[in-house]
Amino acid sequence: MIDRARLEDIVREAGRIAFGSWPGAGHALESWEKTPGNPVCAADLAVDAFLRRELGRLLPAAGWLSEETADDPARLDRGLIWLVDPIDGTRDFIRGRTGWAVSVALISERRPLIGMLAAPARGEEWIGISGQGSWRNGEPLRASRREVFPGARVPADSLPREDRDLATVNKPNSIALRAAMVAADEADLLATLRWGYEWDIAAAALIAREAGAAVTDAFGDPLNYNKRDPRAFGLLISAPAIHSAAVDRLSGRAHALARPRR
C-alpha cells in the first residue's frame, strides 16, 4: 500500500516549490522555449527533479514518465508508473496567472490508481482515488449532471461557429484544471481535438471519473496509459448524459484531424 499522507505531502511541497518561483507572487523567473511555441521555465525543472527524487523514494518499483524528463523505454516493463507534469499550464505560470497546477498520477497496469493536482496559486488541492471518489480541499466532488447538450458550459475563450449553441466559462491554461472543472460541476464539457500526452491528463481524468464524469478520448474510446507512444488524440470529459452527443458532434472533426498521425 502506498503511503497516501506522504504522497500528499510530496505533491503539496512540489506546489510550494513552484509557487516560490511564480511571477504572480512577485518572483523573477527564467523561462525559454524548448521548441517554438512550447515554453518551459526553471521552475518546471526544479519541480520535476524534486518529484522524481521523492516519488522514487516513496515507491522505488514504479517507472517514470514526465514532460520534463527524457523518456526511458524501461518504463514499459513496469507494472507501476508515475505520470508527472511538473507545471501543467506553463503559459499561465510564466504570465503570473493562476491557471496552472502540479499534476501527479500513479498508474497500475495502464489504469490510474491515484491522481493529485496542487494549484497553490488558487488555494486548491485535488485528489482522486480509484474506486473511492475524489475531493477538492477535502470536500467530495460531484461532477456535472447536465442532461441537455445545447447550453453546456465549456472552459474556452471562444467557440467555433458550429459549437455556438454551447456556453463559455473561464478557461485556465492548465488542461488538468479544465478537466477538474467538470469534476467540480463548474463546467459540463471539456473537449480537445489534438494529440496530447498522458502526463497532461492522467491525474485530472481520474479525478473527473471518480466524481462521476464520463471520460474518454475524442472518439469516445477509453483512455489507457503507459503506452509506447504516450499520446492520445483528444480528451472528452463531460456530464454522463451529454457524452454521446459530444462524441457525435466531434467525431467527424476528430477523425479528420487525427488521420495524418494515426
Side-chain angles (χ1 to χ4, degrees), residues 9-257:
D9 285 344
I10 290 169
V11 179
R12 190 174 296 124
E13 179 61 21
R16 283 194 286 263
I17 292 170
F19 191 81
S21 298
W22 180 49
H27 300 291
L29 180 70
E30 181 185 3
S31 64
W32 60 97
E33 288 193 340
K34 291 184 287 186
T35 57
N38 188 12
V40 67
C41 64
D44 282 294
L45 304 185
V47 172
D48 189 71
F50 169 79
L51 287 171
R52 188 166 194 184
R53 182 181 71 245
E54 296 303 320
L55 294 176
R57 290 172 177 171
L58 179 65
L59 197 60
W64 177 265
L65 180 60
S66 163
E67 181 171 13
E68 304 304 340
T69 307
D71 189 7
D72 182 354
R75 66 178 170 81
L76 298 169
D77 298 322
R78 302 289 185 97
L80 295 167
I81 182 172
W82 293 107
L83 282 177
V84 171
D85 193 340
I87 300 179
D88 183 52
T90 300
R91 288 182 178 84
D92 269 12
F93 184 89
I94 291 171
R95 294 167 182 165
R97 300 173 181 170
T98 63
W100 58 273
V102 177
S103 177
V104 173
L106 178 62
I107 306 299
S108 174
E109 303 299 337
R110 302 187 182 274
R111 295 288 188 269
L113 289 181
I114 188 166
M116 290 191 63
L117 304 175
R122 301 160 66 98
E124 295 174 348
E125 293 180 2
W126 307 71
I127 185 167
I129 302 174
S130 181
Q132 297 185 34
S134 55
W135 301 263
R136 176 173 58 182
N137 294 348
E139 295 295 320
L141 295 169
R142 186 173 187 270
S144 167
R145 290 298 186 269
R146 186 177 183 85
E147 296 184 351
V148 180
F149 188 65
R153 298 166 295 169
V154 182
D157 296 323
S158 61
L159 294 168
R161 184 181 301 276
E162 58 266 46
D163 297 326
R164 289 182 185 168
D165 57 338
L166 307 178
T168 60
V169 293
N170 178 61
K171 174 196 167 186
N173 182 231
S174 164
I175 185 68
L177 289 177
R178 280 178 265 158
M181 290 173 68
V182 182
D185 196 13
E186 294 169 356
D188 305 304
L189 169 68
L190 167 68
T192 67
L193 292 174
R194 59 178 176 80
W195 289 96
Y197 286 92
E198 295 176 6
W199 54 70
D200 291 320
I201 61 176
L206 176 62
I207 291 166
R209 190 191 75 193
E210 287 297 317
V215 179
T216 66
D217 67 13
F219 305 102
D221 296 326
L223 296 169
N224 293 306
Y225 301 95
N226 198 23
K227 304 185 299 296
R228 184 172 298 278
D229 179 356
R231 300 178 304 158
F233 188 83
L235 178 63
L236 183 54
I237 298 179
S238 74
I242 67 171
H243 193 262
S244 61
V247 172
D248 290 345
R249 171 73 64 89
L250 297 171
S251 61
R253 280 177 264 174
H255 281 286
L257 291 167

